[in-house]
Amino acid sequence: MSPPAIAAPSASSAADPSAGEPLPEPPSGTRGLLASRKGLVLVCAALFAVLLVSIVTAIGLGAAVITPGETARYLWAAVSGGRVAAHEVTAYQIVWEIRTPRVLLAALVGAGLSAVGVAVQAMVRNALADPFVLGVSSGASAGAVAVTVTGGLAALGVYAVSAGAFAGALAASVLVYAVSAGRGALSPLRLILTGVAVSLGLQAVMSLLIYSAPDGEATGMVLYWTMGGFGAASWGALPVVSAVVLPGLVVLYRYGRALDVLALGDETAASLGIDPDRHRKALLALVSLMTGVMVAVSGAVAFVGLVVPHVVRMVVGATHARVLAVAPPAGAVFMVGVDLVSRTLMAPRELPLGVITALVGVPVFLTLMRRRAYLFGGS
């Protein structure tokens, strides 16, 4: 799936609004530092350090507050096979069995959604695109509701709903691809329009399933899958999500140069020696798989894949290799913080993640739109 080596587009072509969507350069105060590989490494190292601190802090906070020192000691005891005192067993179980898989899953999903958002925005050349523009979110919600209403996949036990959501997400992606690529090349406009149409159709199917449900359980399931949450996180989900998201992040990073060219338009890409249709199909398959896996365990968490890429571009510039290096740890830190707020702000009740991401994302997005230095496309 690795793309061929591509020459970087010239400065004149990158600045041409007619060639593609203009994207911002970093502020003058950071341009010199971030232009170098060393500066980018320092930024990534700082973000990973913040992420580590955020993970330990988030694991310790909740209805039962555990100090960072004790949290680190319990984590070390878990990974090294150490022992804890009898009176610490309850705190240890809270840290290792309940909060750690949840926080790690939040970090993985935040990193994955941010990277996929970068790829989708370049792939469809639309600054308002996010990981769910291709109908994946609606497919996952419809799959989860179908399993809940019909009782299907009962043999999978507690993983039945997640499996149904993943199957629905992949089915929606296949449908979008089949319709979009049915005639000619897989153009960005056709891809977006097909994704919107499929989303509306799946929402209608989901409404029909809810209406025919004998009780109100499906309504609660719809709310969960449309707003997101990590309340059902477990150690069993982590290996699957990690096996898809982590390699996916590496592949997307290697597509950085190809995304630079795709953002300039198909004609420019062809003139630089790459096949935009082939790259777009490969990227569609990858981002659909990653998004389907993440939605299956977290529901549809809005604004992360939309806002984080734009914020990162404000700092490191428009080159996709730099954005894809910084966006995953930035998204992971953001999602860990959002999950912490969701389970502590109105404890013991949990707020849906989508409520918090919207409350944060909308003001940030509107602020970005008001900045003259940031262009979302067009003149």
Side-chain angles (χ1 to χ4, degrees):
M1 188 175 285
S2 176
I6 302 168
S10 65
S12 60
S13 64
D16 180 10
S18 64
E21 179 181 305
L23 292 170
E25 288 303 317
S28 58
T30 61
R31 186 179 296 119
L33 173 64
L34 295 175
S36 66
R37 183 179 296 271
K38 181 179 179 180
L40 189 63
V41 170
L42 290 175
V43 171
C44 292
L47 278 173
F48 278 109
V50 172
L51 176 60
L52 180 60
V53 173
S54 301
I55 288 175
V56 174
T57 303
I59 291 174
L61 294 178
V65 178
I66 302 171
T67 65
E70 291 178 333
T71 301
R73 183 164 59 85
Y74 294 150
L75 292 175
W76 176 251
V79 298
S80 65
R83 297 183 178 182
V84 295
H87 68 277
E88 296 178 315
V89 171
T90 300
Y92 171 81
Q93 291 176 337
I94 292 174
V95 165
W96 183 247
E97 297 179 9
I98 299 176
R99 294 182 185 171
T100 299
R102 175 173 183 148
V103 174
L104 293 180
L105 196 61
L108 274 174
V109 171
L113 288 178
S114 300
V116 170
V118 174
V120 171
Q121 288 168 9
M123 184 174 67
V124 302
R125 300 183 63 218
N126 191 318
L128 295 178
D130 69 359
F132 306 123
V133 75
L134 304 179
V136 178
S137 171
S138 298
S141 300
V145 174
V147 170
T148 302
V149 173
T150 63
L153 303 178
L156 298 178
V158 295
Y159 300 108
V161 176
S162 294
F166 179 66
L170 289 189
S173 301
V174 171
L175 180 60
V176 169
Y177 171 78
V179 175
S180 301
R183 296 181 179 180
L186 193 67
S187 69
L189 180 59
R190 184 183 292 127
L191 199 57
I192 291 178
L193 293 178
T194 305
V196 171
V198 169
S199 294
L200 293 175
L202 289 172
Q203 288 174 15
V205 171
M206 190 166 51
S207 299
L208 179 62
L209 289 171
I210 296 171
Y211 183 77
S212 62
D215 52 42
E217 185 179 1
T219 303
M221 184 60 62
V222 170
L223 178 62
Y224 173 80
W225 287 106
T226 55
M227 301 299 287
F230 294 106
S234 66
W235 281 110
L238 270 172
V240 177
V241 179
S242 301
V244 174
V245 173
L246 295 179
L249 294 177
V250 176
V251 174
L252 286 178
Y253 178 79
R254 297 192 64 182
Y255 265 92
R257 287 289 181 87
L259 292 173
D260 286 338
V261 179
L262 286 177
L264 299 176
D266 289 2
E267 292 183 1
T268 303
S271 68
L272 291 173
I274 71 168
D275 183 353
D277 188 54
R278 181 172 63 86
H279 281 77
R280 197 169 282 120
K281 290 177 180 178
L283 286 167
L284 175 62
L286 177 60
V287 301
S288 297
L289 178 62
M290 293 177 65
T291 305
V293 168
M294 290 184 288
V295 173
V297 296
S298 68
V301 185
F303 279 99
V304 179
L306 175 63
V307 174
V308 172
H310 289 302
V311 173
V312 171
R313 288 192 189 101
M314 291 293 298
V315 178
V316 302
T319 303
H320 284 88
R322 293 195 302 227
V323 177
L324 286 168
V326 176
V333 171
F334 177 66
M335 186 62 79
V336 169
V338 168
D339 179 60
L340 176 61
V341 173
S342 75
R343 59 186 169 87
T344 57
L345 186 62
M346 297 182 64
R349 299 177 61 186
E350 288 190 15
L351 283 173
L353 295 178
V355 173
I356 303 170
T357 55
L359 290 175
V360 175
V362 170
V364 170
F365 198 71
L366 293 178
T367 301
L368 290 176
M369 290 183 66
R370 290 179 59 86
R371 291 179 63 96
R372 292 185 178 181
Y374 195 94
L375 299 177
F376 284 80
S379 57

